[in-house]
């Protein structure tokens, strides 16, 4: 699964992962990078300001989240390329 990211500097959307609905908020930081907030269906935050970078599980420091987020792109997303970033949702194997 791939998150439906856009080049909009501030956008929110919901996504169903493993039967749970999560809210995502993408934001362009004035320092020159994209961030992502992850909240539960009620708006309670799990993570704020997660910097979007390539080639690593950006949720590695948050083992309680039941999925990973990763992009295999060669370059971090710029202001005009987030829609091409292809941030993959990888479900963790609980078995």
């Amino acid at each position: 699964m791939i998150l439906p990211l856009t080049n909009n500097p501030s956008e929110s959307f919901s996504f169903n992962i493993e039967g749970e609905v999560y809210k995502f908020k993408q934001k362009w930081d004035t320092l020159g990078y994209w961030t992502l907030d992850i909240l539960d269906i009620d708006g309670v935050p799990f993570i704020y300001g997660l910097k979007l970078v390539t080639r690593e599980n950006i949720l590695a420091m948050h083992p309680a989240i039941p999925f990973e987020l990763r992009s295999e792109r060669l370059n971090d997303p710029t202001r005009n390329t987030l829609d091409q970033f292809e941030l993959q949702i990888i479900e963790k194997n609980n078995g």
Side-chain angles (χ1 to χ4, degrees), residues 9 27-35:
K27 292 181 271 185
W28 176 251
D29 190 290
T30 57
L31 295 175
Y33 55 85
W34 287 98
T35 63

Side-chain angles (χ1 to χ4, degrees), residues 1 3 12 15 17-18 21-22 24-25 28 32-33 45 51-52 56 59 62 65 67 80 84 86 91 93:
M1 294 184 287
L3 282 180
S12 300
F15 207 80
I17 304 169
E18 294 186 359
V21 177
Y22 294 88
F24 295 88
K25 293 182 181 180
W28 176 251
Y33 55 85
K51 185 177 179 180
L52 297 181
E56 65 181 70
L59 293 175
H62 306 279
I65 303 284
F67 55 90
N80 297 313
Q84 302 165 25
E86 294 184 2
E91 297 177 7
N93 184 353

